[in-house]
């Protein structure tokens, strides 16, 4: 039930195989709900770019697509001296290889001063199948009811009050091959993610606590993450 050692639950209507780990082609109904959430909530920090903006040359959706194509070896990115995947000085921040059952995970990372980073927080990938069928988009209620908190140095950046500001939904064009029968390819992404401005040169702690509370609209599945990143930013 795992196509990569990443993060967030990937829905598969038949295989139910999540690609764990997070604007483009928004479905019309989904777009209306997202616009409502955007109007109702506010960013807690100006250092995080909302998905309807262009940050460091790409939208959040474009960064998320690049992240997943890299993760699935569709795109090769030579790591920098710190071992990070870097595109145009933007770090695709690695995710602890936790199984999603609440087991805590952590990573110790080093970034250079001036490096922004991309981090998917809770992504669902839809599949196509060998019989010609495909997963439908998941109801947005699954995301709107996430019990999710992302903190930087003890300060909350994303939580249930504003997480839909960071929602994106798009099709993978072309699809990403996913040869795990009966699945054949990843065809879309729905998820919460972020593009963050460079951190100051010192030690930082990132912490994600997340679980889905609506299992009825998610094939009865439940996933829980408690992950910590200890990030040293060198001058």
């Amino acid at each position: 039930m795992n196509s990569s050692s990443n993060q967030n639950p990937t829905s598969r209507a038949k295989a139910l195989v999540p690609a764990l780990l997070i604007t483009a082609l928004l479905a019309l109904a989904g777009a209306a709900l997202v616009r409502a959430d955007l109007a109702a909530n506010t960013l807690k920090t100006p250092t995080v770019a909302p998905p309807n903006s262009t940050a460091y040359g790409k939208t959040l959706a474009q960064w998320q697509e690049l992240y997943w194509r890299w993760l699935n070896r569709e795109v090769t990115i030579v790591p920098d001296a710190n071992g990070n995947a870097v595109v145009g000085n933007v770090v695709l921040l690695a995710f602890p290889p936790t199984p999603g059952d609440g087991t805590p995970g952590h990573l110790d990372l080093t970034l250079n001063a001036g490096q922004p980073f991309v981090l998917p927080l809770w992504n669902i990938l839809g599949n196509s199948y060998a019989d010609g069928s495909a997963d439908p988009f998941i109801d947005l209620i699954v995301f709107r009811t996430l019990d999710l908190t992302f903190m930087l140095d003890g300060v909350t950046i994303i939580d249930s009050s504003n997480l839909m500001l960071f929602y994106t939904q798009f099709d993978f064009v072309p699809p990403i091959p996913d040869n795990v029968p009966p699945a054949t390819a990843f065809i879309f992404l729905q998820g919460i993610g972020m593009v963050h401005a460079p951190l100051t040169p010192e030690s930082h702690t990132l912490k994600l606590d997340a679980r889905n509370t609506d299992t009825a609209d998610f094939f009865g599945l439940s996933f829980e993450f408690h992950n910590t990143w200890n990030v040293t930013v060198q001058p």
Side-chain angles (χ1 to χ4, degrees), residues 37 41 61 64 171 180 212:
D37 279 308
N41 296 304
Q64 294 237 77
D171 294 323
V180 181
N212 59 303

Side-chain angles (χ1 to χ4, degrees), residues 91-126:
V91 175
L92 306 185
L93 205 67
F95 207 94
T98 49
D101 62 359
T103 302
H106 81 277
L107 286 177
D108 296 325
L109 302 170
T110 299
L111 273 62
N112 296 328
Q115 286 186 321
F117 63 87
V118 175
L119 183 61
L121 298 176
W122 187 283
N123 285 180
I124 294 173
L125 305 188

